Amino acid sequence: MKRPTIKRRMTGFTLVELSVVLLALGLILPGAVIFWQLSERQRVTTQQMDVQKQARDSLLGFLHSNYRLPCPAANSLGLEDCASNRQVGFLPWRTLNLPRPEAGALRYGVSRAPDSASASLDEDLAVRLDRMNPLRVRTPDPKPQNADAPNPNAPPIPATAAGILGATYSGDDAIPLNSACNAANAPPCPLGVENAVNLIDICLALNRGGDGLVPAAGRLATQVGASRRAAAFAIAAPGMLDADGNGAAFDGANATADNANPTFEAPGRAVTDIYDDIVVAASHNELFSELSCGASLSAVSHAHFNVATGSLVMERAMYDYRDQLYIAVVLARADVAAAAAGVASAVAGSLDAAKEMVSAVADTTMSVGARAFQIALAAVGIGLAVASDVAAAYAVIDAALSLAEAEQVHSDFAARTTAMTNLSRTLNENALRADAIGH
């Protein structure tokens, strides 16, 4: 028996339907890819900006604690390498105690301009160095004492000199000045790198480094158009893509920055199809302002020591003036002696006038009145002698009063010179204490 045949209808997509689907996918997928790229780029950018911010904060914390910026790391392991004068490398995230391993992908540059001849001229921000080198007047030692002129214990003529202060900080915030400091010494405090360095020293390096907007060749900088701008430090993140197709994660100048040409791209450079890096940088002046260096340096480098120097100059001037007052005392004593001599002379004149009166009376008697006029002349002489006696007595009193006044002024001023000595010594110690407080 023959089985009936069953016709089966074939089902599936027709070429038209496939074309429509492929067209739809062709329209959707590029948009989806672009959306994914933008979302992923935004995620990567946010993550990198976050780790850069933490890195910047860690750098400032390290600076406050160590009075320098860290050296760049030689690799992504994150340990600073200070063995060479390295300016460009990787971020030393382990040295910074930054718990972000992805920070190892960041490039880091720090400004380094050492000066082996003079610590005060050194601008190496990655070196802990005692740079404070103010003009100061040494406190006279032993302490000047009052004495009559010529005064062997007067303070010497102040002479200013520049010198390193040494370890001013004691280690105790309650009593910051090192007890071993003596303002009469040069240096006034013991030398010691660890204890002598404080925030003021890094401020001095930032101040010198901020003098020039355009850095010299070989100095850390950021590229702003056709110009280079000085930078204290720079941190570069590689973005998501090798946008410029150079085979490296970093684009533009960030890929080629090295010790010979330590130049990074500008922080504000826009993302384009050939650049997607992110740069965070700070200039010397920005850090100088952020650390409030202006007020500290103005006071410690200039105002404190200028006041201390002025007080020591004033002290010397007061001792010199006191010697002049002593001369006035000596002259007053001479006036008293001269007045006493005048009294003696006046008394002698009175006696002589009395003698002349007796002689005139005798002559008048012997001449039976012919020489009576001599009595009148002798009387005038006696009157003048009495007047001389009165004037001499007044001169003695006036000289004695002048001597007493001169001695009183001399004595009062002596107390002031002693007070000035104590004040000038205290001001000089306060200048050292101001540096110690900057620890």
Side-chain angles (χ1 to χ4, degrees), residues 6-7 36 48 52 98 117 123 133 140 152 201 205 214 216 222 228 237 260 270 275 292 302 318 351 403-404 407:
I6 301 174
K7 294 183 178 180
W36 174 83
Q48 290 184 345
Q52 280 181 310
L98 181 62
E123 300 174 31
N133 192 44
D201 297 303
V214 179
T222 56
R228 298 173 73 245
Y275 180 84
S292 301
H302 303 290
M318 291 182 70
L351 292 176
L403 174 61
E407 289 176 338

Side-chain angles (χ1 to χ4, degrees), residues 127-182:
V127 170
R128 181 185 175 103
L129 186 64
D130 186 6
R131 298 180 176 88
M132 187 64 172
N133 192 44
L135 285 173
R136 57 180 292 270
V137 174
R138 295 168 59 182
T139 298
D141 192 36
K143 180 180 176 180
Q145 300 291 331
N146 278 308
D148 290 338
N151 190 347
N153 295 316
I157 297 174
T160 57
I164 299 296
L165 297 183
T168 55
Y169 184 50
S170 66
D172 182 1
D173 288 342
I175 308 175
L177 183 59
N178 187 348
S179 60
C181 290
N182 183 346

Side-chain angles (χ1 to χ4, degrees), residues 226-243:
S227 302
R228 298 173 73 245
R229 292 290 183 266
F233 69 80
I235 308 169
M240 186 180 74
L241 304 172
D242 175 16

Side-chain angles (χ1 to χ4, degrees), residues 381-402:
I382 290 175
L384 293 174
V386 171
S388 296
D389 291 342
V390 173
Y394 178 79
V396 169
I397 295 172
D398 184 63
L401 291 175
S402 297

Side-chain angles (χ1 to χ4, degrees), residues 339-377:
V343 169
S345 178
V347 170
S350 297
L351 292 176
D352 187 64
K355 182 195 73 167
E356 290 297 328
M357 175 61 76
V358 172
S359 178
V361 170
D363 286 345
T364 300
T365 303
M366 294 294 295
S367 63
V368 191
R371 295 185 176 179
F373 66 94
Q374 289 183 341
I375 296 177
L377 293 174

Side-chain angles (χ1 to χ4, degrees), residues 48-65:
Q48 290 184 345
M49 290 178 66
D50 180 59
V51 73
Q52 280 181 310
K53 181 181 182 304
Q54 288 190 14
R56 189 185 193 282
D57 292 342
S58 296
L59 287 173
L60 290 179
F62 185 92
L63 189 153
H64 275 284
S65 299

Side-chain angles (χ1 to χ4, degrees), residues 300-351:
V300 179
S301 296
H302 303 290
H304 285 73
F305 286 99
N306 287 349
V307 171
T309 300
S311 68
L312 289 164
V313 172
M314 179 61 72
E315 177 194 21
R316 173 69 195 206
M318 291 182 70
Y319 272 89
D320 290 343
Y321 185 65
R322 182 178 178 275
D323 288 345
Q324 295 180 35
L325 290 177
Y326 179 75
I327 294 173
V329 170
V330 173
L331 291 175
R333 289 172 181 168
D335 287 343
V336 169
V343 169
S345 178
V347 170
S350 297
L351 292 176

